[in-house]
Amino acid sequence: MKRDIILAGVGGQGILSIATVIGFVVVDQGLYLKQAEVHGMSQRGGDVQSNLRISSDPIYSDLIPAGQADLIISVEPMESLRYIPFLSRTGWLITSTAPYVNITDYPENDVLMNEIRKVKNHIAIPADTIAKEIGSPRSSNIVMLGAASAYLDLPFEKLEEGIQKIFGKKGEKIVESNLKALHAGRDFAKSYIA
Amino acid sequence: MENQKVLLLGDEAIAQGAIDAGASGFYAYPGTPSTEIMEYVQHSKEADEGNIHRQWSANEKTAVESALGMSYAGKRTVACMKHVGVNVAADPFVNSGVTGANGGLIVVAADDPSMHSSQNEQDSRFFANFSLIPCLEPSNQQEAYDMMFYGMDFSEKFKTPLLMRITTRLAHSRSGVVLKSKRPQNSLKLPEDGRQFVLLPSISRKRYKLLLEAQTKFVEESENSPFNVYTDGADKSLGVIACGIGYNYYMENFPSGSPNPVLKIGQYPAPRKLIERMAKECKTILVIEEGMPLLEENLRGFMNAPLEIKGRLDGTLPRDGELNPNLIRIGLGLSDNTGNDVPEVVKLRPPAMCTGCSHIDTYKALIETVKDVYGDGHVFSDIGCYTLGAYPPYEIINSCVDMGASVTMAKGAADAGLFPSIAVIGDSTFTHSGMTGLLDAVIENTNMILFILDNSTTAMTGGQKSHAYGKIKDICIGLGVNPEHVREVVPLPKNHSEFVNIIKEELEYNGLSVIIPTRECIQTIGKKK
């Protein structure tokens, strides 16, 4: 088993909470993990990514080799495209459609969506809207995780367990809304590719 | 904790490794990618229980000197910094090779190839090399952990400090680490030779000869080190020497084993016998080093080696920037696996100051009083979030060189006749290396304005406690700045005209002024909520 995942977004959007849930499951399953993060300057509103490598065999490189990523999970549409050179020909691009505009030359939405549609295996999710609809606007990250869940090769109920474990400290309400977000994301992805 | 497998960043593995190897103190100044070492120790329950020293230092020099003092007293200690911090600490670091250590002493330098968060990509192994200090370079998180035990033992056995060199990728990548059983800290034990640390010329000359003699032993240790491993391969047309994480990038391309002989290096001075073996058995050697081509240059020599050496110097690998598995593939003549190009619609997204940041208000006042009136070229800046004022829409700063350089560059420019000569520096950077420069300006009452942007934290690295907190005005007056020209202001949009007036008044004063805009970083306020 091997999954190379690029998590993408803008500094401050909190892509690492997605990584934390996946990391919990990976350790629980006794798999190997390497997770390279971006700290420092870029966290101030710049582009950030995390390389998440999961394998049943020991992993050498902390970085995913170019053209080998199985998944790009992005919480921002333009950022999802920044890592295209890393995506394998059979890989999936799973992105939120909610733009984060903090630059003056941010592309038009149509142009962006056209590029995303050019990727054969893609899922574009209005994660922010879904999170709002289920009454949990801050859980759009977990909506993204839910949408990607079918491609992780990890048991879904373990992801649920991870959310309970990680958000448990913050109270039952937060756990519930994140579980809801996880399911909503999964359901959306199912209908998207159906 | 023994035998437990935990997920740790490379930085955290170093911290936990040192705690478990019986360290009594950590000394550091925040700097990406090294910051998380000290932060981990500060949050560690074990460090608290063991009363391990874990306060930030004013700068990297004071950190290494304090660590040297703790080593003098017989205890194990670690000093941590980013690569450019080693420049600041170079004086005590280089001299610590000559004094030697007593309690185990490891200096950790975190390099930043590709300059993700730095002004250069210097390679700290050069410092170890010319200081004749042994160097450890882990290839993964487990080695980083294990090397703290190995390094402390080595340091105490040979009475020498060690440098551990890591790079951004290892520092900020998480992986499983199996812990060892924890060792007790040392008790106080002063050096046997009371003059070991007295570097008077007559003593230094003796100590330096001892250091030179020790090199033979250091090389032998490297040749027998568990971190320097020679693996034979059938195809001897090429031998590969892979240092630190360069080994991972090579092996990533050969998951079922390398076809060529591979020498993995994790400890320096370089293991001479192992390299000689490769030179004897292989026609060509490829040297893979993250950072600068230190070993490659040594192997080539000035007159060129008798066998072909490939690496960063002949274009097999790029001369600069961080390595990755694909660059190694291309260097080996294998297919480039890169996927499709980044679509043109993807724009650059540089980091920016946060909405509501106090620096924005300072820059708006500066733009109105200085940039718009006198044109560009008058604001010397420093290292911190405010350096982002170089980007649009502000484009207000004209320099960023090293910690403290804003103050002294403004002074030099004022000496040359530039008016107005303006410097901006953050509170933490000011106490790191700005105070001494300010004293230079005080002595001559230099006609310049220094802005000390007090956001009450070390913001860029994530909000560490600043030594300057609550002290800046007193420090300036204590250094001799005329109190009438030490001005305070709260940088808020509603105070804009007040701020502008203060700047105008101080521009009219022919002498040294300090303006202290004080408002807490909105990120640290957010964290407290």
Side-chain angles (χ1 to χ4, degrees):
Chain A
M1 181 267 175
K2 180 216 88 150
R3 278 293 179 280
D4 284 335
I5 305 162
I6 290 179
L7 297 169
V10 180
Q13 281 193 304
I15 58 169
L16 292 182
S17 60
I18 301 176
T20 310
V21 177
I22 298 176
F24 170 85
V25 180
V26 170
V27 171
D28 181 80
Q29 300 288 95
L31 297 165
Y32 290 94
L33 170 83
K34 281 207 174 188
Q35 186 207 328
E37 302 169 2
V38 172
H39 296 213
M41 204 162 188
S42 301
Q43 286 178 300
R44 299 275 167 271
D47 53 276
V48 292
Q49 43 73 27
S50 173
N51 280 209
L52 191 58
R53 310 196 70 192
I54 306 166
S55 176
S56 46
D57 297 311
I59 304 160
Y60 282 109
S61 170
D62 297 274
L63 292 173
I64 296 170
Q68 276 195 36
D70 303 290
L71 274 176
I72 293 173
I73 305 174
S74 180
V75 295
E76 207 281 345
M78 186 179 86
E79 294 308 322
S80 75
L81 295 168
R82 199 181 294 283
Y83 307 98
I84 289 287
F86 287 89
L87 190 63
S88 100
R89 311 237 173 254
T90 54
W92 281 81
L93 184 146
I94 300 172
T95 183
S96 162
T97 54
Y100 187 104
V101 183
N102 64 346
I103 49 172
T104 50
D105 55 351
Y106 194 91
E108 292 292 325
N109 193 44
D110 298 355
V111 183
L112 215 46
M113 290 314 295
N114 269 338
E115 287 296 336
I116 289 168
R117 282 189 212 106
K118 280 186 198 165
V119 179
K120 197 181 107 208
N121 299 326
H122 75 270
I123 302 175
I125 313 145
D128 287 22
T129 314
I130 294 175
K132 270 179 210 146
E133 277 169 11
I134 60 165
S136 176
R138 296 184 67 183
S139 305
S140 64
N141 285 353
I142 303 302
V143 173
M144 292 305 304
L145 176 63
S149 60
Y151 306 90
L152 294 173
D153 203 10
L154 297 170
F156 189 78
E157 61 277 9
K158 286 286 166 190
L159 291 173
E160 294 177 314
E161 205 180 307
I163 283 172
Q164 274 158 357
K165 187 96 186 168
I166 286 150
F167 294 100
K169 280 179 228 155
K170 295 182 179 174
E172 198 49 39
K173 249 186 168 174
I174 304 270
V175 170
E176 279 309 312
S177 60
N178 278 292
L179 285 175
K180 239 178 173 178
L182 186 76
H183 283 263
R186 180 177 68 166
D187 295 345
F188 181 89
K190 267 186 194 162
S191 63
Y192 192 91
I193 52 170
Chain B
M1 293 284 269
E2 193 183 348
N3 285 328
Q4 197 185 329
K5 192 173 184 180
V6 290
L7 265 187
L8 295 175
L9 289 177
D11 277 350
E12 296 171 345
I14 289 168
Q16 186 65 49
I19 292 170
D20 291 348
S24 298
F26 289 75
Y27 295 91
Y29 183 81
T32 311
S34 71
T35 314
E36 292 79 5
I37 302 173
M38 182 61 111
E39 288 192 324
Y40 182 87
V41 180
Q42 290 178 342
H43 292 116
S44 158
K45 213 177 132 204
E46 291 166 274
D48 187 41
E49 286 163 1
N51 196 25
I52 294 173
H53 181 276
R54 54 194 184 280
Q55 288 292 326
W56 295 107
S57 300
N59 63 39
E60 295 85 355
K61 180 174 181 282
T62 67
V64 170
E65 289 159 348
S66 302
L68 191 61
M70 186 167 270
S71 166
Y72 179 99
K75 299 205 177 179
R76 301 189 189 108
T77 177
V78 184
C80 317
M81 61 208 67
K82 68 182 295 171
H83 57 340
V84 287
V86 186
N87 300 338
V88 178
D91 207 353
F93 177 73
V94 176
N95 287 314
S96 73
V98 187
T99 64
N102 185 31
L105 170 57
I106 300 176
V107 175
V108 180
D111 295 355
D112 189 20
S114 277
M115 303 176 236
H116 300 284
S117 279
S118 308
Q119 65 270 48
N120 75 30
E121 59 173 27
Q122 66 185 61
D123 186 329
S124 298
R125 295 176 304 158
F126 281 83
F127 270 104
N129 192 48
F130 96 92
S131 307
L132 304 171
I133 292 173
C135 176
L136 298 171
E137 188 184 14
S139 71
N140 58 44
Q141 294 76 357
Q142 183 71 57
E143 279 185 1
Y145 176 86
D146 294 342
M147 278 178 175
M148 295 317 279
F149 284 77
Y150 179 89
M152 288 297 177
D153 289 345
F154 190 106
S155 176
E156 290 182 352
K157 182 178 173 193
F158 294 101
K159 298 276 172 207
T160 178
L162 263 85
L163 181 83
M164 176 185 275
R165 185 258 184 165
I166 57 167
T167 55
T168 309
R169 245 5 117 178
L170 180 61
H172 290 166
S173 177
R174 217 174 278 282
S175 192
V177 174
V178 180
L179 305 184
K180 294 174 191 262
S181 65
K182 195 167 172 339
R183 302 199 303 205
Q185 296 180 30
N186 286 350
S187 42
L188 205 64
K189 184 176 175 288
L190 297 176
E192 283 164 20
D193 174 2
R195 299 209 291 178
Q196 180 190 335
F197 289 81
V198 186
L199 294 186
L200 271 170
S202 60
I203 301 171
S204 299
R205 284 190 282 268
K206 285 179 198 148
R207 291 227 43 104
Y208 188 55
K209 280 205 195 299
L210 287 175
L211 178 61
L212 290 171
E213 281 166 21
Q215 298 305 305
T216 317
K217 284 181 284 175
F218 294 167
V219 172
E220 273 173 26
E221 288 295 314
S222 283
E223 286 165 351
N224 298 308
S225 165
F227 304 112
N228 292 333
V229 183
Y230 196 108
T231 310
D232 207 1
D235 179 0
K236 307 257 197 287
S237 63
L238 180 77
V240 176
I241 297 177
C243 305
I245 61 169
Y247 176 76
N248 302 342
Y249 297 148
Y250 175 74
M251 290 306 293
E252 182 70 33
N253 291 295
F254 304 101
S256 49
S258 167
N260 303 93
V262 182
L263 170 56
K264 172 180 181 287
I265 293 185
Q267 183 178 338
Y268 308 81
R272 178 167 280 277
K273 279 187 185 154
L274 302 179
I275 294 172
E276 282 171 352
R277 177 183 166 191
M278 183 166 280
K280 210 168 134 193
E281 295 180 8
C282 300
K283 282 192 189 119
T284 305
I285 292 179
L286 169 65
V287 188
I288 302 172
E289 298 174 270
E290 185 65 297
M292 293 173 165
L294 169 68
L295 189 60
E296 187 186 343
E297 263 181 337
N298 286 342
L299 291 187
R300 272 176 201 279
F302 196 72
M303 305 300 289
N304 283 331
L307 77 169
E308 193 184 0
I309 308 284
K310 291 181 168 188
R312 285 190 184 264
L313 291 169
D314 70 335
T316 302
L317 299 172
R319 180 64 180 80
D320 64 338
E322 189 180 12
L323 296 174
N324 62 49
N326 200 50
L327 288 171
I328 309 294
R329 283 190 74 78
I330 296 166
L332 290 166
L334 303 171
S335 62
D336 180 351
N337 281 342
T338 309
N340 293 333
D341 291 341
V342 180
E344 269 176 41
V345 298
V346 178
K347 306 296 177 201
L348 291 177
R349 197 192 295 260
M353 287 180 282
C354 310
T355 308
C357 172
S358 60
H359 301 328
I360 292 173
D361 295 299
T362 297
Y363 282 149
K364 282 184 175 165
L366 262 171
I367 285 166
E368 188 174 325
T369 49
V370 176
K371 194 178 165 188
D372 291 353
V373 179
Y374 300 92
D376 283 335
H378 300 302
V379 179
F380 298 94
S381 183
D382 225 293
I383 314 267
C385 287
Y386 47 94
T387 318
L388 298 171
Y391 290 123
Y394 310 104
E395 298 180 278
I396 174 78
I397 66 156
N398 303 84
S399 78
C400 162
V401 180
D402 68 74
M403 300 283 282
S406 60
V407 184
T408 23
M409 282 183 73
K411 181 185 183 300
D415 292 344
L418 176 71
F419 179 81
S421 193
I422 309 274
V424 293
I425 190 169
D427 51 330
S428 182
T429 308
F430 175 65
T431 44
H432 177 290
S433 286
M435 297 189 295
T436 42
L438 181 59
L439 187 58
D440 283 350
V442 165
I443 298 302
E444 297 183 46
N445 195 27
T446 307
N447 188 17
M448 59 181 266
I449 303 177
L450 170 63
F451 286 75
I452 304 175
L453 313 179
D454 185 1
N455 60 3
S456 312
T457 190
T458 313
M460 183 63 100
T461 46
Q464 292 75 27
K465 209 172 168 186
S466 165
H467 272 31
Y469 184 71
K471 297 190 191 70
I472 292 179
K473 190 181 179 188
D474 289 345
I475 290 171
C476 293
I477 293 170
L479 284 169
V481 182
N482 182 343
E484 283 176 25
H485 295 285
V486 178
R487 308 289 299 269
E488 290 175 294
V489 62
V490 179
L492 277 169
K494 65 174 184 182
N495 298 338
H496 178 76
S497 55
E498 178 200 348
F499 200 169
V500 163
N501 285 337
I502 289 174
I503 298 174
K504 281 182 179 165
E505 282 166 26
E506 296 308 322
L507 279 169
E508 279 171 26
Y509 169 60
N510 184 14
L512 174 65
S513 307
V514 176
I515 299 175
I516 312 169
T518 304
R519 178 156 71 80
E520 189 179 351
C521 167
I522 60 152
Q523 291 284 343
T524 57
I525 293 174
K527 274 186 199 169
K528 284 177 195 162
K529 277 179 188 168

